[in-house]
Amino acid sequence: MHKTFLNYIGGEWQTSKSGDILSSYNPANKTEVVGSVQKSTREELDEAAAQAKKAQKAWRKLAGAERGNYLYKAAVIMEENLEEIATTMTKEMGKSLPEAKGETTRGIQILKYFAGEGMRSDGDVIPSTDPSALMFSKRVPIGVVGVITPWNFPVAIPIWKIAPALIYGNTVILKPASEGSVTAAKVIECFEKADFPAGVVNFITGSGSVIGQGLAENKDVNAVTFTGSNNVGKNIGNIVGARGGKYQLEMGGKNPIIIAEDCDIEAAVDATLSGGLKSTGQKCTCSSRVIVQSAIYDQFKERLIKKAKEITVGDGMDASTWMGPCANEGQFNTVKYYIDKGKEEGATLALGGNQLTEGNLKNGYYIEPTIFDNVTSDMTIAQEEIFGPVLALMKVDTIEDAIAVANDVEFGLSASIFTKNIDHILTFIDDIEAGLVRINSETAGVELQAPFGGMKASSSYSREQGQAAKEFFTTMKTVFIKG
Ligand code: NDP
């Protein structure tokens, strides 16, 4: 019997007055309900914002070290519940259990990292031109932060937004993706058990157009941090910006991996498959364009296809599964649409392209690892984010051509090159239009202590994680004291 999770507002678990719920289904077994959440109303969101605003007054007055203790306690509780959270994630959005455990562990590490942040410097002394004065800057919280998250990292993304927001003295309202809400509720249970003061952490579920839009519009919400699709992100930015709020948008990617003729081909093949197809291609940092120098194109393609054929696709709960299903029906249909589009526009299907229906796979949203050959920059599959297990092979002659093709998209999140040539590496670092630049490593993969974010249409140019998070989640007072 599945559980129905409630909203967590002002320190109380609450049922929505709408009387409606939203249910999450297992993408590996479409008829299995993983859990349900509240389909909340705009009034309930406004109540959450009022509670968060009230709680922020006392929360910001606590010493940073004390706020850090709460974060650390939440981390310890999450550690105790790691298995359950990871299992829920695999059942709700399909990624393999080891990946789900890895993500949950990442969430715990982020909480610990930001717990320590409460005792680090929060300003600078600046020499005044008046020798008898003391001048310094001091970082202060923004107030109430609205957190809107996608389904692809239902633990790590909420935590990498909530943890810095809280440690710097803000209170938060989390609105998770509907398709990841049950997993997010499990995370919020850990925060509840960590005894945060009432109203500091609030959780409200419901449709994006009501609760997400409401967070963008509510004047008690001083800042909104968002990860998800471009259209929704831009709309949120416009609304929050127009009312003078602060916003941070992390959106799509169309990440290139460049394979130079002098590279270690085996390593490049492994990184292409891991960076492109792990999590079923549903990471915003996944490689989707594989730009290969013509001298090794055929050799690389042959190795890539051979290894891709060895990938085991199945239920993320099975130990043998390397790649799970698409996370939900909408995503499954999107991937099929792009595969058809690739064929229509003249790309050659070199591997896969079909739904998998053998045995138990018929109950889920499975698509074969798919590789297109002869892809050119003018094709839709070379321009738009697919968010699925689809790789597009593109042939170029020189590294300069490769970088030009890599930059020929509206996005600029992550990019990688495989080469041993230091000149190529330096040119790539300089010329590639991406926030995450990776050499001899897959495009996916971020470290929590380093800045994360994209260029061009991938981001609003602010950065998340590590010390960079401070920029978004605080503002500054410049203090001048004269005796
Ligand atoms: P969305 O942008 O639709 O959803 C992200 C979050 O925004 C969810 O919490 C969603 O709620 C909420 N939301 C939806 N509509 C609104 C609105 N009008 N106002 C405010 N908030 C809203 O992304 P999806 O999760 O549907 O994924 C779609 C595409 O986005 C993917 O195919 C992929 O291309 C991209 N994506 C990119 C990610 C990244 O990390 N860069 C991550 C995930 C997706 P609800 O779930 O209730 O609709």
Side-chain angles (χ1 to χ4, degrees):
M1 189 54 197
H2 73 268
K3 183 172 167 183
T4 297
F5 293 85
L6 306 184
N7 290 327
Y8 187 64
I9 297 174
E12 305 282 342
W13 292 103
Q14 298 180 8
T15 310
S16 170
K17 292 192 181 67
S18 74
D20 284 343
I21 55 169
L22 298 168
S23 295
S24 272
Y25 291 84
N26 183 345
N29 181 8
K30 296 178 224 177
T31 52
E32 180 189 339
V33 179
V34 180
S36 300
V37 295
Q38 305 300 304
K39 188 171 181 189
S40 312
T41 64
R42 181 65 189 258
E43 289 68 36
E44 286 152 350
L45 168 71
D46 293 344
E47 170 61 13
Q51 291 287 341
K53 186 176 177 181
K54 193 169 131 208
Q56 204 258 336
K57 290 188 176 67
W59 179 246
R60 77 178 174 87
K61 294 277 188 194
L62 294 184
E66 204 174 332
R67 289 196 295 266
N69 288 340
Y70 285 103
L71 261 63
Y72 201 88
K73 195 169 168 192
V76 170
I77 293 165
M78 263 188 80
E79 252 162 356
E80 291 161 7
N81 291 278
L82 190 151
E83 193 76 33
E84 193 191 330
I85 294 169
T87 303
T88 305
M89 189 191 314
T90 293
K91 290 193 171 173
E92 187 172 30
M93 60 74 65
K95 72 173 68 170
S96 73
L97 190 58
E99 284 185 275
K101 283 184 183 169
E103 182 185 334
T104 310
T105 303
R106 174 59 64 97
I108 293 162
Q109 290 165 339
I110 295 168
L111 281 167
K112 289 182 179 172
Y113 174 89
F114 282 107
E117 189 61 19
M119 286 198 282
R120 296 196 188 103
S121 162
D122 64 357
D124 293 308
V125 174
I126 303 147
S128 168
T129 52
D130 180 345
S132 67
L134 171 65
M135 185 162 69
F136 62 92
S137 65
K138 179 174 168 48
R139 287 192 177 269
V140 293
I142 314 167
V144 176
V145 176
V147 175
I148 305 176
T149 54
W151 42 259
N152 61 336
F153 286 97
V155 170
I157 294 182
I159 291 181
W160 85 44
K161 294 173 183 294
I162 290 174
L166 292 177
I167 197 67
Y168 298 125
N170 305 285
T171 52
V172 298
I173 304 162
L174 170 64
K175 185 271 181 260
S178 296
E179 311 270 4
S181 289
V182 173
T183 310
K186 294 264 174 204
V187 173
I188 296 300
E189 284 181 342
C190 298
F191 281 86
E192 184 230 355
K193 290 191 187 115
D195 286 328
F196 280 80
V200 169
V201 177
N202 302 277
F203 171 73
I204 180 162
T205 52
S207 83
S209 55
V210 176
I211 305 302
Q213 178 97 5
L215 274 173
E217 289 171 358
N218 191 305
K219 290 193 176 60
D220 285 341
V221 178
N222 307 89
V224 174
T225 172
F226 166 87
T227 300
S229 64
N230 279 65
N231 288 341
V232 173
K234 277 185 209 155
N235 182 45
I236 290 172
N238 288 339
I239 297 169
V240 180
R243 65 172 174 82
K246 197 172 182 184
Y247 61 88
Q248 173 180 58
L249 314 171
E250 283 306 329
M251 300 169 287
K254 190 70 193 167
N255 310 303
I257 176 167
I258 295 176
I259 314 293
E261 59 193 29
D262 66 357
C263 76
D264 174 341
I265 292 190
E266 285 309 309
V269 165
D270 289 347
T272 303
L273 293 177
S274 173
L277 304 182
K278 274 279 177 189
S279 280
T280 322
Q282 300 167 136
K283 295 180 192 172
C284 50
T285 51
C286 265
S287 326
S288 65
R289 294 176 299 143
V290 190
I291 304 168
V292 189
Q293 268 192 288
S294 46
I296 57 156
Y297 187 89
D298 289 338
Q299 191 189 353
F300 177 84
K301 183 175 84 177
E302 192 186 307
R303 292 294 306 150
L304 187 73
I305 291 172
K306 185 169 182 289
K307 277 223 160 164
K309 282 183 180 163
E310 292 165 12
I311 289 174
T312 46
V313 181
D315 186 333
M317 291 302 293
D318 294 344
S320 61
T321 292
W322 191 94
M323 192 179 97
C326 295
N328 51 59
E329 186 179 10
Q331 203 52 43
F332 173 77
N333 288 332
T334 302
V335 175
K336 284 201 304 183
Y337 163 82
Y338 281 112
I339 292 173
D340 288 343
K341 200 81 185 156
K343 289 194 268 189
E344 257 168 58
E345 292 183 2
T348 313
L349 193 55
L351 183 73
N354 299 307
Q355 180 179 1
L356 285 161
T357 52
E358 265 173 47
N360 287 339
L361 299 186
K362 67 177 175 301
N363 301 324
Y365 299 116
Y366 294 100
I367 291 189
E368 293 175 299
T370 297
I371 299 176
F372 275 106
D373 191 9
N374 298 319
V375 178
T376 50
S377 261
D378 55 340
M379 293 180 185
T380 308
I381 59 165
Q383 291 295 326
E384 296 181 11
E385 186 176 45
I386 300 174
F387 236 53
V390 182
L391 292 168
L393 286 173
M394 306 173 83
K395 194 190 285 185
V396 290
D397 289 329
T398 66
I399 291 299
E400 288 68 32
D401 293 344
I403 294 174
V405 168
N407 286 338
D408 189 19
V409 289
E410 63 168 325
F411 300 107
L413 184 52
S414 179
S416 152
I417 189 169
F418 269 74
T419 178
K420 296 190 180 110
N421 182 314
I422 187 68
D423 290 334
H424 292 343
I425 292 172
L426 294 175
T427 306
F428 180 74
I429 293 170
D430 224 26
D431 292 349
I432 194 72
E433 295 164 359
L436 304 167
V437 180
R438 320 241 324 153
I439 319 295
N440 294 320
S441 186
E442 65 182 68
T443 55
V446 292
E447 297 202 27
L448 63 97
Q449 70 278 25
F452 173 80
M455 291 181 172
K456 303 200 290 191
S458 291
S459 153
S460 57
Y461 282 89
S462 83
R463 291 290 178 263
E464 301 193 85
Q465 307 205 56
Q467 290 300 299
K470 206 183 264 183
E471 296 299 329
F472 181 72
F473 291 105
T474 65
T475 185
M476 233 182 254
K477 285 183 177 169
T478 306
V479 183
F480 180 87
I481 311 176
K482 196 158 161 64

